[in-house]
Amino acid sequence: MTTHIDPGLRTEFAGEVILPRDSGYDEARALFNGMIDRRPAVIAQCANTDDVARALGFARERGLEVSVRGGGHGVAGKALVDGGLVVDLRMLHSVTVDPDARTARVGGGAVMADLDRATAEYGLATTGGRVSTTGVGGFVLGGGSGWLERKFGLACDNLVSVESVTADGRHVRASEEENPDLFWALHGGGGNFGVATSFTMRLHPLATLGLAMLLWPPEAGPDVVPAFRDFMEAAPDEIGGGSEYMIAPPADFVPDDLAGRLALGIVVTCVGTEPEMRAMIEPMMRHGHAGGILAEMPYPAVQCMDDDQSGLRNYWSAQHVRKLPDEAVARYCALADDMIVPSASRHTLFPLGGAVANGPSGYPIPWREDPWVVHPLALWDDPADDVRAKAWVRDVRTSMERWSTGSLYLNFIGDEGAERVREGWGDENMRRLADVKRRYDPDNVFRHNQNIEPAA
């Protein structure tokens, strides 16, 4: 492979440079979303921060567009750019835990499994994504919503510092004391300001997590989902979870007549022991579930439970909604009827609140006080189902729009236009973010993302 590498980038490059003619090219450009088929001119797999600066300089000298790859899990596939250069961070996946300070230094290419397993050795954790394959970088920079958020806050609320390389090759550290304007922007502003090569995250004591997954046939939804709504609105911060229409797996806790069919699942997580969880979820146990599990599990194991096969076709969206009236709940339930069955698709309803709503109010996260998120995820394998799958996701989004809060967690959606991006930050935050963008990326080099254009 190395004999074909452009010497302008190969010189002193510690990682791997992969070109379209190289044997590992197709594997290196594969993303979680199998619908994405982009062909970069160069994939620069960086082994250290100097590699990142060299790759950016190479792209600048040759006029190549740049994208940044962390976990490669983003549904829009913005980690790749046709004909451009990919700054691939996957070699930078190390996690170093300081158990006394309760912090972890996380490489920019780490995924949640890397972080969760490293911190679990010390009985510590922080808010992570709901699947283990999510890249830590994009997750945190976008805000970071996960199972632990009601107790420990959003992922970005636990951000201590970020080390980045800017478009012109500078190494910049952002914290409350250093470059505080950039630190503010990195709490939800995404990958607009540089290549984040490492994060220092605040950790919390957590060895195990109480978990309940209760299953019903889908027709029980109009009775069960309102009960879940009422349960969560009264729940303490230790309780998290979600409602999820899904295809029930062939597992011991799934009744034979539900396995492989559409089912309603209610997930309840508890930062506490199994007995504490059982006492708290007693109101949901009154509704005659058909199957399920109640257990106390290591947090990394919980994080793996919703992992999906990489390479499926993916299309997602979301709608943040106000307090759910019965009419909205009924509409949410009815929309499950058009899911592709069988498939890995899910039709979810997540509660926020708790430490999310009570967290720092100054960051560019206008959805912090939103109580609920409807999040349809279509995952399928047959291209013949493309039109149907996308139509279902769009129908969910538009059908729930009448109850919308007008704000949005951008990590949950793909390419949905400038107005939806504006919902993700709000007008006032957009103006301030554009000013920060002008300072750190005035030429909008980092534009393959949910983009913020630099202020004029």
Side-chain angles (χ1 to χ4, degrees), residues 248-264:
D252 292 342
F253 64 88
V254 178
D256 291 342
D257 59 349
L258 276 185
R261 296 180 49 224
L262 183 67
L264 170 67

mmCIF file of all heavy atoms in Angstrom, residues 248-264:
data_model
loop_
_atom_site.group_PDB
_atom_site.id
_atom_site.type_symbol
_atom_site.label_atom_id
_atom_site.label_comp_id
_atom_site.label_asym_id
_atom_site.label_seq_id
_atom_site.Cartn_x
_atom_site.Cartn_y
_atom_site.Cartn_z
ATOM 1 N N ALA A 248 -39.742 -7.934 18.244
ATOM 2 C CA ALA A 248 -39.262 -8.650 19.422
ATOM 3 C C ALA A 248 -38.262 -9.732 19.005
ATOM 4 O O ALA A 248 -38.511 -10.485 18.055
ATOM 5 C CB ALA A 248 -40.431 -9.277 20.168
ATOM 6 N N PRO A 249 -37.131 -9.817 19.689
ATOM 7 C CA PRO A 249 -36.103 -10.794 19.318
ATOM 8 C C PRO A 249 -36.461 -12.196 19.808
ATOM 9 O O PRO A 249 -37.272 -12.362 20.724
ATOM 10 C CB PRO A 249 -34.861 -10.271 20.047
ATOM 11 C CG PRO A 249 -35.417 -9.607 21.276
ATOM 12 C CD PRO A 249 -36.711 -8.980 20.832
ATOM 13 N N PRO A 250 -35.853 -13.223 19.231
ATOM 14 C CA PRO A 250 -36.028 -14.585 19.749
ATOM 15 C C PRO A 250 -35.158 -14.764 20.985
ATOM 16 O O PRO A 250 -33.981 -15.112 20.899
ATOM 17 C CB PRO A 250 -35.559 -15.463 18.591
ATOM 18 C CG PRO A 250 -34.563 -14.605 17.856
ATOM 19 C CD PRO A 250 -35.021 -13.183 18.018
ATOM 20 N N ALA A 251 -35.719 -14.489 22.143
ATOM 21 C CA ALA A 251 -34.965 -14.553 23.394
ATOM 22 C C ALA A 251 -35.820 -15.225 24.459
ATOM 23 O O ALA A 251 -37.046 -15.333 24.334
ATOM 24 C CB ALA A 251 -34.573 -13.143 23.843
ATOM 25 N N ASP A 252 -35.155 -15.665 25.534
ATOM 26 C CA ASP A 252 -35.866 -16.385 26.591
ATOM 27 C C ASP A 252 -36.969 -15.555 27.222
ATOM 28 O O ASP A 252 -37.987 -16.102 27.664
ATOM 29 C CB ASP A 252 -34.870 -16.825 27.676
ATOM 30 C CG ASP A 252 -33.911 -17.898 27.189
ATOM 31 O OD1 ASP A 252 -34.215 -18.538 26.165
ATOM 32 O OD2 ASP A 252 -32.860 -18.084 27.836
ATOM 33 N N PHE A 253 -36.785 -14.217 27.295
ATOM 34 C CA PHE A 253 -37.770 -13.393 27.971
ATOM 35 C C PHE A 253 -38.914 -12.963 27.044
ATOM 36 O O PHE A 253 -39.801 -12.223 27.463
ATOM 37 C CB PHE A 253 -37.100 -12.155 28.586
ATOM 38 C CG PHE A 253 -36.486 -11.208 27.588
ATOM 39 C CD1 PHE A 253 -37.246 -10.187 27.023
ATOM 40 C CD2 PHE A 253 -35.154 -11.333 27.224
ATOM 41 C CE1 PHE A 253 -36.677 -9.313 26.113
ATOM 42 C CE2 PHE A 253 -34.577 -10.456 26.321
ATOM 43 C CZ PHE A 253 -35.348 -9.440 25.756
ATOM 44 N N VAL A 254 -38.898 -13.427 25.787
ATOM 45 C CA VAL A 254 -39.924 -13.047 24.812
ATOM 46 C C VAL A 254 -40.874 -14.224 24.596
ATOM 47 O O VAL A 254 -40.434 -15.328 24.238
ATOM 48 C CB VAL A 254 -39.282 -12.638 23.475
ATOM 49 C CG1 VAL A 254 -40.361 -12.288 22.456
ATOM 50 C CG2 VAL A 254 -38.334 -11.462 23.678
ATOM 51 N N PRO A 255 -42.176 -14.041 24.788
ATOM 52 C CA PRO A 255 -43.125 -15.120 24.517
ATOM 53 C C PRO A 255 -43.052 -15.563 23.051
ATOM 54 O O PRO A 255 -42.783 -14.753 22.150
ATOM 55 C CB PRO A 255 -44.488 -14.490 24.829
ATOM 56 C CG PRO A 255 -44.189 -13.325 25.707
ATOM 57 C CD PRO A 255 -42.841 -12.830 25.300
ATOM 58 N N ASP A 256 -43.299 -16.839 22.810
ATOM 59 C CA ASP A 256 -43.205 -17.375 21.450
ATOM 60 C C ASP A 256 -44.111 -16.644 20.480
ATOM 61 O O ASP A 256 -43.756 -16.461 19.310
ATOM 62 C CB ASP A 256 -43.551 -18.869 21.444
ATOM 63 C CG ASP A 256 -42.492 -19.721 22.144
ATOM 64 O OD1 ASP A 256 -41.360 -19.218 22.314
ATOM 65 O OD2 ASP A 256 -42.814 -20.857 22.534
ATOM 66 N N ASP A 257 -45.276 -16.203 20.930
ATOM 67 C CA ASP A 257 -46.213 -15.561 20.009
ATOM 68 C C ASP A 257 -45.842 -14.110 19.702
ATOM 69 O O ASP A 257 -46.467 -13.474 18.855
ATOM 70 C CB ASP A 257 -47.646 -15.632 20.543
ATOM 71 C CG ASP A 257 -47.808 -14.958 21.895
ATOM 72 O OD1 ASP A 257 -46.780 -14.616 22.524
ATOM 73 O OD2 ASP A 257 -48.961 -14.764 22.329
ATOM 74 N N LEU A 258 -44.804 -13.557 20.378
ATOM 75 C CA LEU A 258 -44.320 -12.212 20.070
ATOM 76 C C LEU A 258 -42.992 -12.235 19.307
ATOM 77 O O LEU A 258 -42.677 -11.267 18.605
ATOM 78 C CB LEU A 258 -44.131 -11.404 21.360
ATOM 79 C CG LEU A 258 -45.342 -10.696 21.951
ATOM 80 C CD1 LEU A 258 -44.918 -9.854 23.152
ATOM 81 C CD2 LEU A 258 -46.031 -9.802 20.921
ATOM 82 N N ALA A 259 -42.228 -13.294 19.439
ATOM 83 C CA ALA A 259 -40.909 -13.341 18.819
ATOM 84 C C ALA A 259 -41.019 -13.162 17.313
ATOM 85 O O ALA A 259 -41.827 -13.820 16.648
ATOM 86 C CB ALA A 259 -40.217 -14.664 19.144
ATOM 87 N N GLY A 260 -40.228 -12.232 16.778
ATOM 88 C CA GLY A 260 -40.227 -11.967 15.348
ATOM 89 C C GLY A 260 -41.371 -11.102 14.871
ATOM 90 O O GLY A 260 -41.499 -10.848 13.669
ATOM 91 N N ARG A 261 -42.187 -10.610 15.800
ATOM 92 C CA ARG A 261 -43.335 -9.774 15.448
ATOM 93 C C ARG A 261 -43.188 -8.395 16.080
ATOM 94 O O ARG A 261 -42.403 -8.186 17.000
ATOM 95 C CB ARG A 261 -44.639 -10.414 15.946
ATOM 96 C CG ARG A 261 -45.000 -11.744 15.314
ATOM 97 C CD ARG A 261 -46.310 -12.264 15.898
ATOM 98 N NE ARG A 261 -47.343 -11.237 15.896
ATOM 99 C CZ ARG A 261 -48.169 -10.995 16.926
ATOM 100 N NH1 ARG A 261 -48.063 -11.699 18.041
ATOM 101 N NH2 ARG A 261 -49.086 -10.054 16.830
ATOM 102 N N LEU A 262 -43.994 -7.459 15.581
ATOM 103 C CA LEU A 262 -44.028 -6.128 16.177
ATOM 104 C C LEU A 262 -44.514 -6.227 17.613
ATOM 105 O O LEU A 262 -45.495 -6.914 17.901
ATOM 106 C CB LEU A 262 -44.953 -5.217 15.364
ATOM 107 C CG LEU A 262 -45.040 -3.755 15.823
ATOM 108 C CD1 LEU A 262 -43.709 -3.046 15.604
ATOM 109 C CD2 LEU A 262 -46.150 -3.023 15.059
ATOM 110 N N ALA A 263 -43.820 -5.543 18.511
ATOM 111 C CA ALA A 263 -44.186 -5.547 19.926
ATOM 112 C C ALA A 263 -43.936 -4.164 20.502
ATOM 113 O O ALA A 263 -43.192 -3.357 19.938
ATOM 114 C CB ALA A 263 -43.383 -6.596 20.693
ATOM 115 N N LEU A 264 -44.570 -3.892 21.623
ATOM 116 C CA LEU A 264 -44.309 -2.683 22.377
ATOM 117 C C LEU A 264 -43.409 -3.038 23.551
ATOM 118 O O LEU A 264 -43.742 -3.918 24.354
ATOM 119 C CB LEU A 264 -45.611 -2.066 22.893
ATOM 120 C CG LEU A 264 -45.436 -0.918 23.907
ATOM 121 C CD1 LEU A 264 -44.797 0.297 23.246
ATOM 122 C CD2 LEU A 264 -46.771 -0.546 24.548
#
